[in-house]
Amino acid sequence: MKKEMTEQEAFLQLAALCAQAEHCEQEMRDKLKRWDIDESAQDRIIQRLIRERYIDNERYARAFVKDKIRYNKWGRRKVQQALWLKRIDKDIQQRVLDEIDDQEYLNVLRPLLRQKRKTIKAQNDYELNQKLVRFALGRGFTFDIIRQCLDVDEEMEEYDETD
């Protein structure tokens, strides 16, 4: 039989987790629910974690957005959806997403499209572009940014051919 966890033990475990990596309030609430900690204790633990700055949803969102764009090569829409699933406040989402540098964002998508272009089988340029657009939309990039990258790539190809 499993020994019931005290409020203090739960706090200490979550504090240790938060000290190792960024976590949001929702992740900690989910853990507390899994541990069968009663709701009033959950609220007290979460408030203490926030007060002692173990949890900071805005700090978490910044780290999350940076990681998802840089390493997972996600677009704004997919990142925003993931933040929504983690119940990050809309104001925080907007602030953090607005901080994304457009140039860095383009620098993520361009090589992604170039790489994908090599693996796509298409009858013509139109079909190729359609497939690239669908791929990038699936990654959470917006149509205007995709279009920008595809236009630049096509210009580069034309330039390369004239060498």
Side-chain angles (χ1 to χ4, degrees):
M1 188 169 141
K2 196 170 73 173
K3 166 177 118 44
E4 228 178 82
M5 190 181 288
T6 68
E7 191 172 323
Q8 180 63 11
E9 289 170 334
F11 169 79
L12 291 172
Q13 274 205 325
L14 292 182
L17 265 176
C18 291
Q20 292 170 2
E22 285 294 342
H23 291 282
C24 66
E25 182 179 333
Q26 190 56 45
E27 291 171 339
M28 298 299 101
R29 282 193 185 280
D30 292 344
K31 278 206 182 300
L32 290 167
K33 278 187 191 114
R34 276 198 303 277
W35 294 343
D36 288 328
I37 305 288
D38 79 274
E39 259 181 67
S40 62
Q42 285 181 29
D43 289 338
R44 285 192 301 274
I45 291 168
I46 293 295
Q47 287 315 309
R48 185 171 168 201
L49 287 167
I50 290 171
R51 196 174 52 250
E52 296 183 20
R53 304 216 11 97
Y54 284 105
I55 296 177
D56 180 335
N57 280 343
E58 189 160 345
R59 188 179 63 211
Y60 169 82
R62 273 199 183 85
F64 182 84
V65 167
K66 196 162 52 172
D67 283 358
K68 294 302 174 195
I69 289 175
R70 278 196 188 139
Y71 304 115
N72 295 42
K73 313 276 189 240
W74 285 8
R76 274 188 179 95
R77 283 214 176 111
K78 192 167 181 172
V79 171
Q80 188 170 20
Q81 197 172 32
L83 289 172
W84 179 81
L85 286 172
K86 292 190 177 283
R87 297 200 172 100
I88 301 295
D89 190 48
K90 268 219 178 325
D91 294 343
I92 292 173
Q93 284 182 36
Q94 202 53 57
R95 246 193 327 274
V96 171
L97 289 168
D98 286 346
E99 290 172 7
I100 300 170
D101 177 49
D102 285 340
Q103 199 52 51
E104 180 185 356
Y105 199 57
L106 291 170
N107 292 340
V108 165
L109 182 56
R110 276 193 192 113
L112 203 59
L113 289 173
R114 266 190 221 112
Q115 208 171 349
K116 185 69 177 172
R117 181 179 292 233
K118 293 173 188 167
T119 66
I120 291 180
K121 291 180 179 32
Q123 306 289 310
N124 53 42
D125 283 349
Y126 177 76
E127 188 182 334
L128 176 73
N129 279 342
Q130 290 298 95
K131 289 181 176 186
L132 286 171
V133 166
R134 266 198 308 276
F135 165 75
L137 285 172
R139 281 295 185 109
F141 290 93
T142 55
F143 188 74
D144 57 325
I145 244 89
I146 298 167
R147 193 72 249 160
Q148 224 177 313
C149 287
L150 287 176
D151 291 345
V152 167
D153 277 357
E154 285 167 8
E155 286 169 20
M156 294 300 283
E157 278 180 17
E158 288 170 16
Y159 179 74
D160 288 346
E161 288 169 11
T162 58
D163 277 354

